Amino acid sequence: MTASEAKAYYLTQPSAPGPEWARPVRQKALERFAALGFPTTHDEDWKYTSVEPLVKIPFAAGSGGDDGAERRIADFGVEDLTPNRLVAVDGRFSNRLARLGDLPKGVIACGLAQAMSAHRNLVEPYWTRIADYREQAFSALNTARAEDGIFLFVPAGVTLAPIQLLFISSAAEDGPTVSHPRCLVVLGRGSQATVVESYFGMRDEAYWTNAVTEIVLDDNAVFDGYKIQMESERGFHIATQEARLGRDAVFTSHSFALGAELARNDVNAAFVGEGGDCTLNGLYVTAGFQHVDNHTRIDHKQPRCTSRELYKGIMGGKSRGVFNGKIYVHAHAEKTDARQTNRNLLLSEEAWVDTKPQLEIHNNDVKCSHGSTIGQLDDDAVFFLRSRGLDLHAAIGLLTQGFANDITGRVKQAPVAEVMERKLSEKIDLMAQEKERW
Amino acid sequence: MLVIKNLHANVEGREILRGIDLTVNAGEVHAIMGPNGSGKSTLAHILAGREGYEVTEGQVLYQGKDLLAMAPEERAREGIFLAFQYPLEIPGVNTTYFLKAALNAIRKHRSQPELDAMDFLALVKEKTKLVEMDQSLLNRPINEGFSGGEKKRNEIFQMALLDPKLAILDETDSGLDIDALRVVAGGVNALRSPERAMVLITHYQRLLNYIVPDYVHVLSEGRIVKSGDKRLAQELEEKGYGWVEG
Ligand SMILES: Nc1ncnc2c1ncn2[C@@H]1O[C@H](COP(=O)(O)OP(=O)(O)OP(=O)(O)O)[C@@H](O)[C@H]1O
Ligand SMILES: [Mg+2]
């Protein structure tokens, strides 16, 4: 399909209308998608990432069939990471696959469609208001087409045991499918939650996940989030995670991008109250012909907020990574303390990364820094390890793992760290083999 | 054990080694001395298999095999160990994890069973004692934040752990205070055995008071210009290199 054919195709793809109150917004979102169309590399935000490979394929709406999902969940090793879990298949909440222990009083963990009708008062104030779809074609399409998703509400003062959100694509064999997972997390004043999102497919087919996650942190709320992106090597993953931080709220996001042929991951956080704290950690690892684009934006709209950002990339084969991180300090955000670092390791001559850290500061009383590096494995270090008896493959693996360690080392949940490290070392192992052959 | 015949080598087109002949037998300790830039580290690196050197002439036999045809890890597994003049810091790579992998790769090659975590730690304990090294250093990434002396000690510790047949120590004594020198020398002496050979590269007679070599060689401008026993080192100390360079 051409871009305009693709646009027309998705404009006419049917989806359930949802509750009455939400229809005008979804209609508006559809109009915005119609107006914006798919981005091209002429758009500043998409300069290094062409969505042409995605646009070409007509993705049918996913069926939401969850047969055999348990097997797949176990295969990915994410079965028992947390006491609680919610699952959406093709964006549709699966009651059958949910595992919830004794939740503290007032906690709501359910499908988004259900929440939109049963808990409208908790959804409407936030839904589509955190992640602005008006200038983002993919978010607009998600908003228009997402029929369901996952909703999590933690009332004031409550600490919720870690919960997993699994977003699985049914990835049918009989043709490529698309899903629009949508997720809303609302944390009341002083509440705390640890949320582990995983994205993967039922089969290693071509499919497209177009996700939007909105996270609201009321004053003093604490959110510790992990996202593990393990889509199929033929899959497409476009996702936006957007957080809004109230006064003294603490938001941490760890983003691990391992899968997909083409992935675009936006993580945005905005301080709307004073004294907030935001940490964005990211690790993207690409091999073969993979392409992963990370965009982050931190909006310092209020005084005395702190942000720390560290993204690291490992690119092998002919793969390509992108990092674009923006820190925006608004005029009255004095005493902002922001630091951003992006480091990249290229494992092959033909791997590539574009890195663009950006600071935009409209206040003089701030502490801000940013920097990025691109490097290769140190030959002397490789030789040292080999001189101690490790073969080339093991030496490359160990050094690459070493490069990633300060990101994986920041994972506070031991079972999550374990699964991360396992996935990572599997992938690094493959990449080391790939490199050894060069 | 090691036979070097007429070894010539270039670095970036410049001839650094210009015809080295050296034979080292099991049980022997050889000291190589020589002015800065004479090619001592170059020789050590070539023996350990570092890339970037072009051997233009000559050959090296190790246990009867063509050493230069072997990959660095093969050499290590066959028993060659190089203690580096400038040990690297490698952030992110845990020392204990790395050493266990290295030791087991070597043991596997020697058809010895791999060590499990318990046995490995017991061995580590024994060997850190030998070089009086603080074991907690091993919980850090390789050499990260180590003092100069700690790095050198770590090299000798690794040598003790990996149990080589031919150990090449490139200026392990440089940068050590007197106590550390004594400890490191003690560690080296403890490893002296009829099956093991050692090549000590050093600038100082000092080390050779502790580790008494069987042979002393003077390397100058890529050639061994003089060989003798330990008295040669004393003479050098008194007269300087000018005396042999002539
Ligand atoms: N990678 C390299 N590139 C260029 N020149 C090199 C390289 N490695 C070694 N050399 C040169 O080779 C010569 C011998 O160096 P080498 O390090 O072997 O000396 P050395 O005898 O160990 O000296 P020192 O006592 O100072 O350690 C020096 O002139 C050095 O500059
Ligand atoms: Mg030297």
Side-chain angles (χ1 to χ4, degrees), chain B residues 15-208:
Chain B
E15 188 166 48
I16 305 293
L17 300 186
R18 304 193 300 163
I20 301 232
D21 289 286
L22 180 67
T23 299
V24 178
N25 297 308
E28 294 175 353
V29 173
H30 290 243
I32 297 181
M33 306 181 80
N36 295 133
S38 56
K40 303 182 297 297
S41 294
T42 302
L43 175 62
H45 285 149
I46 290 177
L47 294 178
R50 187 171 184 247
E51 282 171 23
Y53 304 95
E54 188 200 350
V55 172
T56 51
E57 230 185 298
Q59 60 168 330
V60 181
L61 295 175
Y62 172 69
Q63 297 181 320
K65 283 188 250 177
D66 178 5
L67 183 70
L68 302 179
M70 292 157 76
E73 59 268 32
E74 272 180 84
R75 302 179 196 203
R77 292 169 190 181
E78 289 287 337
I80 290 188
F81 180 91
L82 170 61
F84 287 78
Q85 182 175 2
Y86 304 110
L88 278 185
E89 296 195 18
I90 308 183
V93 178
N94 177 274
T95 311
T96 307
Y97 181 87
F98 143 65
L99 284 176
K100 184 161 174 273
L103 179 62
N104 279 334
I106 291 173
R107 289 181 65 93
K108 202 169 155 198
H109 183 78
R110 295 179 185 166
S111 310
Q112 295 169 323
E114 294 187 18
L115 292 187
D116 63 18
M118 288 271 281
D119 292 342
F120 176 72
L121 285 178
L123 189 64
V124 162
K125 202 164 197 168
E126 180 195 324
K127 302 301 182 187
T128 45
K129 234 185 221 149
L130 184 71
V131 294
E132 295 180 25
M133 190 167 93
D134 179 359
Q135 211 182 315
S136 70
L137 287 175
L138 302 179
N139 300 330
R140 289 200 220 159
I142 299 172
N143 290 330
E144 197 174 73
F146 284 30
S147 74
E150 284 168 342
K151 285 181 186 167
K152 294 298 177 85
R153 245 180 239 227
N154 192 11
E155 294 291 289
I156 298 305
F157 159 70
Q158 289 170 37
M159 174 175 85
L161 186 75
L162 300 179
D163 191 25
K165 294 198 182 92
L166 171 65
I168 305 159
L169 277 53
D170 191 356
E171 295 200 28
T172 303
D173 53 333
S174 302
L176 290 184
D177 63 34
I178 268 298
D179 290 340
L181 183 70
R182 193 181 37 75
V183 170
V184 164
V188 171
N189 281 329
L191 293 171
R192 268 180 103 150
S193 83
E195 297 82 47
R196 202 179 331 254
M198 296 199 192
V199 175
L200 310 176
I201 296 171
T202 182
H203 284 290
Y204 306 106
Q205 159 66 25
R206 203 174 67 146
L207 177 71
L208 305 181

Side-chain angles (χ1 to χ4, degrees), chain A residues 417-430:
Chain A
E418 251 166 62
V419 81
M420 267 315 309
E421 274 159 18
R422 195 170 62 240
K423 294 280 163 214
L424 187 66
S425 70
E426 281 167 17
K427 177 137 193 186
I428 286 176
D429 202 48
L430 286 174

Side-chain angles (χ1 to χ4, degrees), chain A residues 99-391:
Chain A
R99 301 260 180 290
L100 293 171
D102 274 337
L103 297 177
K105 196 163 171 289
V107 169
I108 301 169
C110 65
L112 184 60
Q114 187 194 334
M116 285 171 91
S117 30
H119 305 285
R120 176 176 169 185
N121 60 320
L122 292 177
V123 175
E124 197 178 1
Y126 311 111
W127 177 76
T128 72
R129 292 172 204 245
I130 312 299
D132 190 351
Y133 59 83
R134 285 169 301 186
E135 298 306 323
Q136 304 292 337
F138 289 106
S139 294
L141 185 62
N142 172 290
T143 304
R145 290 291 176 246
E147 299 175 1
D148 194 0
I150 288 177
F151 177 68
L152 181 63
F153 171 75
V154 185
V158 167
T159 297
L160 179 68
I163 184 165
Q164 274 195 93
L165 311 181
L166 304 183
F167 295 97
I168 306 174
S169 287
S170 63
E173 285 159 305
D174 55 356
T177 55
V178 59
S179 64
H180 304 279
R182 181 102 195 176
C183 178
L184 175 62
V185 177
V186 179
L187 301 184
R189 188 179 289 256
S191 68
Q192 302 198 13
T194 297
V195 175
V196 186
E197 288 176 77
S198 299
Y199 291 82
F200 52 92
M202 294 278 283
R203 268 165 289 272
D204 298 325
E205 302 284 339
Y207 59 88
W208 170 23
T209 306
N210 182 39
V212 173
T213 297
E214 295 176 290
I215 302 159
V216 188
L217 293 86
D218 203 341
D219 299 349
N220 288 98
V222 178
F223 178 89
D224 193 22
Y226 302 87
K227 171 175 170 176
I228 314 175
Q229 189 268 96
M230 304 178 282
E231 306 281 23
S232 138
E233 271 175 44
R234 299 171 56 205
F236 295 84
H237 181 90
I238 311 273
T240 295
Q241 184 187 69
E242 198 133 355
R244 198 170 84 185
L245 285 74
R247 173 185 284 264
D248 293 323
V250 180
F251 175 77
T252 307
S253 141
H254 308 256
S255 163
F256 300 102
L258 298 173
E261 175 183 328
L262 172 67
R264 163 77 180 230
N265 197 39
D266 286 37
V267 179
N268 303 325
F271 295 104
V272 298
E274 289 189 30
D277 187 297
C278 169
T279 303
L280 306 185
N281 294 323
L283 182 64
Y284 45 104
V285 188
T286 57
F289 292 91
Q290 282 185 286
H291 181 117
V292 173
D293 181 342
N294 307 276
H295 266 62
T296 67
R297 179 183 168 107
I298 303 175
D299 268 293
H300 282 267
K301 294 182 174 175
Q302 294 291 330
R304 280 175 286 283
C305 294
T306 303
S307 66
R308 292 285 178 268
E309 177 168 11
L310 176 61
Y311 264 64
K312 284 192 152 188
I314 301 167
M315 275 67 53
K318 297 187 174 184
S319 72
R320 188 161 174 185
V322 179
F323 174 80
N324 184 309
K326 188 166 210 171
I327 296 175
Y328 195 102
V329 182
H330 295 250
H332 57 281
E334 66 264 7
K335 305 278 186 236
T336 287
D337 178 356
R339 240 187 269 162
Q340 182 195 65
T341 309
N342 173 232
R343 298 200 187 292
N344 298 284
L345 174 64
L346 299 180
L347 290 181
S348 84
E349 301 275 317
E350 290 173 87
W352 188 263
V353 65
D354 291 290
T355 169
K356 198 170 165 198
Q358 287 172 279
L359 272 178
E360 196 171 328
I361 305 176
H362 298 277
N363 187 299
N364 290 326
D365 184 16
V366 300
K367 257 197 323 213
C368 294
S369 71
H370 69 160
S372 72
T373 59
I374 302 172
Q376 278 118 35
L377 285 181
D378 177 2
D379 287 340
D380 285 335
V382 173
F383 170 62
F384 168 73
L385 296 178
R386 295 178 76 188
S387 81
R388 295 297 182 252
L390 295 180
D391 58 29

Side-chain angles (χ1 to χ4, degrees), chain A residues 76-91:
Chain A
F76 275 89
V78 294
E79 217 173 3
D80 306 309
L81 292 191
T82 56
N84 300 309
R85 83 168 187 220
L86 299 175
V87 183
V89 178
D90 289 336

